C-alpha cells in the first residue's frame, strides 16, 4: 500500500468509527489532520483486533496471535522494513516525522494486551493504570502533532494525559452495556460494592437507582479529568486549539446526555445530537480558519 493510500485508509477509519472526533479534526490544518488520522487509524486497528467481535469472547488465542503479529509488523516497520499492512505506513511515517516516543506506543500496546485477559478492575487506581496505556498514551502520541507553545513541555504532557483519561472514562460510561456483552466491566469493583450494584443488576439491563448513582459518581470523576485538562488547551499551537476545544465539548457532551437520561447507561447509548455537534463545529470554525491563516503568514513576515 502506498503512503497516500495508507493515510486515506486511516482517514476513512476515523470518519466511520470516530464521528465526533473526526468532526473535530476538520478544524485542524490539513497537514496536521492526516497525521491525527494516522494515529487514530492505528489505535482503532489494534482495538478492533482486541475486541474481535467475530470471535467468542472466551477464545483469546486468535486475538492474542493477531496482536502479536501487528506488534511484530510495527517493530519491523519502525526498523525500516516494508510490511503488508493498511495502517502502518501512515502510522510509522507519523511516528518518525514527529519523534513520537516508543514508550508511549509500548504503553498503549500493553493496555490493549491487558484487554485479552483482564476483564475487571478492583479499584479506580487499578483502572487508572489501564488508562495510562490507553487514553493517556493516545493523548501523549497526539501532542507532538498538535504542537505546543515554546516551553510548555511537561505541563502540556500532563494536560494531554488528563484529557485522554477524560475521553476514556467517558467512553467507558457510554459503553457499559457494550463492554458487558464482551465480558468486560470497567466500573471499578470497589465502586460497585460501595453503591450496592451487582453484575447481575447490569445484566438485567434495568437502570436501578443504585446504578444511576454510581454512574453519576463516575461521571463526576470524568469531569474532574476534563477540568484538569482544560488549561492545557492554551499550551497548544493556536491552529490546534479549536480542534481540541471542539473535541472537549463533544466528548464532555456525552456526559451531559448521560445526565439528561437520568444516568441510565443501559437502556440506550448516549449520543450528542447532530444539531449540537454542528453548532459546536460552527462555533470553532472561524477561529480555526484565522489561526491557520496566521500560521501560514508568519514565516513570510519573519523573512
Amino acid at each position: 500500500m502506498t503512503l497516500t493510500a495508507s493515510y486515506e485508509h486511516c482517514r476513512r477509519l476515523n470518519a466511520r468509527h470516530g464521528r465526533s472526533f473526526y468532526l473535530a479534526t476538520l478544524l485542524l490544518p490539513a497537514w496536521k489532520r492526516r497525521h491525527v488520522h494516522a494515529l487514530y487509524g492505528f489505535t482503532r486497528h489494534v482495538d478492533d483486533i482486541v475486541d474481535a467481535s467475530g470471535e467468542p469472547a472466551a477464545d483469546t488465542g486468535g486475538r492474542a496471535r493477531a496482536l502479536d503479529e501487528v506488534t511484530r509488523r510495527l517493530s519491523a516497520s519502525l526498523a525500516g522494513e516494508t510490511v503488508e499492512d493498511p495502517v502502518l505506513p501512515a502510522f510509522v511515517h507519523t511516528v518518525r516525522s514527529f519523534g513520537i516516543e516508543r514508550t508511549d506506543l509500548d504503553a498503549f500496546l500493553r493496555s490493549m494486551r491487558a484487554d485479552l485477559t483482564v476483564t475487571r478492575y478492583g479499584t479506580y487506581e487499578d483502572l487508572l493504570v489501564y488508562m495510562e496505556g490507553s487514553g493517556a498514551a493516545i493523548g501523549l502520541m497526539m501532542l507532538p502533532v498538535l504542537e505546543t507553545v515554546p516551553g510548555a513541555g511537561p505541563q502540556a504532557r500532563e494536560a494531554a494525559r488528563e484529557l485522554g483519561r477524560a475521553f476514556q472514562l467517558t467512553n467507558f460510561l457510554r459503553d457499559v452495556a457494550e463492554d458487558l456483552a464482551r465480558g468486560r466491566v470497567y466500573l471499578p469493583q470497589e465502586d460497585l460494592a460501595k453503591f450496592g450494584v451487582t453484575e447481575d443488576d447490569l445484566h438485567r439491563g434495568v437502570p436501578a437507582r443504585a446504578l444511576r448513582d454510581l454512574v453519576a459518581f463516575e461521571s463526576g470523576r470524568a469531569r474532574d479529568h476534563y477540568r484538569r485538562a482544560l488549561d492545557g488547551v492554551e499550551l497548544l499551537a493556536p491552529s490546534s486549539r479549536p480542534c481540541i476545544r471542539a473535541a472537549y465539548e463533544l466528548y464532555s457532551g456525552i456526559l451531559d446526555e448521560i445526565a439528561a437520561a437520568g444516568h441510565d447507561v443501559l437502556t440506550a447509548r448516549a449520543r450528542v445530537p447532530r444539531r449540537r455537534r454542528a453548532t459546536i463545529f460552527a462555533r470553532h470554525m472561524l477561529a480555526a480558519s484565522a489561526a491557520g491563516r496566521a500560521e501560514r503568514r508568519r514565516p513570510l513576515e519573519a523573512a
Side-chain angles (χ1 to χ4, degrees), residues 198-220:
T198 68
E199 290 192 19
D200 285 341
D201 294 330
L202 300 180
H203 282 287
R204 274 194 289 270
V206 179
R209 180 74 264 166
L211 176 59
R212 293 171 187 261
D213 290 343
L214 171 58
V215 172
F217 174 75
E218 304 295 356
S219 294

Side-chain angles (χ1 to χ4, degrees), residues 79-141:
E81 297 180 29
T82 300
V83 300
E84 291 293 328
D85 190 282
V87 302
L88 282 180
F91 178 69
V92 169
H93 181 255
T94 293
V95 168
R96 288 175 174 161
S97 297
F98 293 91
I100 293 171
E101 296 185 15
R102 182 62 191 258
T103 53
D104 294 331
L105 306 186
D106 291 341
F108 169 73
L109 290 169
R110 274 197 305 274
S111 284
M112 293 301 97
R113 189 169 296 279
D115 271 336
L116 296 175
T117 55
V118 180
T119 60
R120 306 292 186 275
Y121 291 87
T123 67
Y124 190 63
E125 288 67 31
D126 295 332
L127 188 62
L128 282 172
V129 172
Y130 171 84
M131 291 196 292
E132 184 63 23
S134 53
I138 293 171
L140 291 174
M141 286 190 274

Side-chain angles (χ1 to χ4, degrees), residues 20 28 61 65 75 124 150 167 169 191 200 226:
S20 292
L28 287 170
R65 287 189 294 273
S75 295
Y124 190 63
F167 288 173
L169 187 52
D191 296 343
D200 285 341
Y226 281 110

Side-chain angles (χ1 to χ4, degrees), residues 142 203 240:
M142 293 285 181
H203 282 287
S240 293

Side-chain angles (χ1 to χ4, degrees), residues 220-298:
R221 279 179 160 159
R223 292 191 189 279
D224 285 341
H225 288 300
Y226 281 110
R227 280 192 288 271
R228 288 194 287 267
L230 187 56
D231 289 344
V233 177
E234 295 303 314
L235 302 177
L236 298 174
S239 65
S240 293
R241 293 172 195 167
C243 165
I244 299 306
R245 287 193 181 107
Y248 185 106
E249 292 178 29
L250 289 164
Y251 274 85
S252 62
I254 295 171
L255 295 181
D256 296 338
E257 296 302 316
I258 289 173
H263 295 100
D264 172 10
V265 293
L266 297 180
T267 303
R269 194 173 191 257
R271 299 179 187 276
V272 177
R274 183 176 298 178
R275 179 175 295 180
R276 184 177 177 188
R277 293 203 308 268
T279 299
I280 289 170
F281 178 81
R283 185 187 309 130
H284 296 288
M285 186 168 58
L286 288 178
S289 297
R293 287 196 302 270
E295 287 189 0
R296 287 194 297 272
R297 286 197 304 266
R298 193 166 297 125

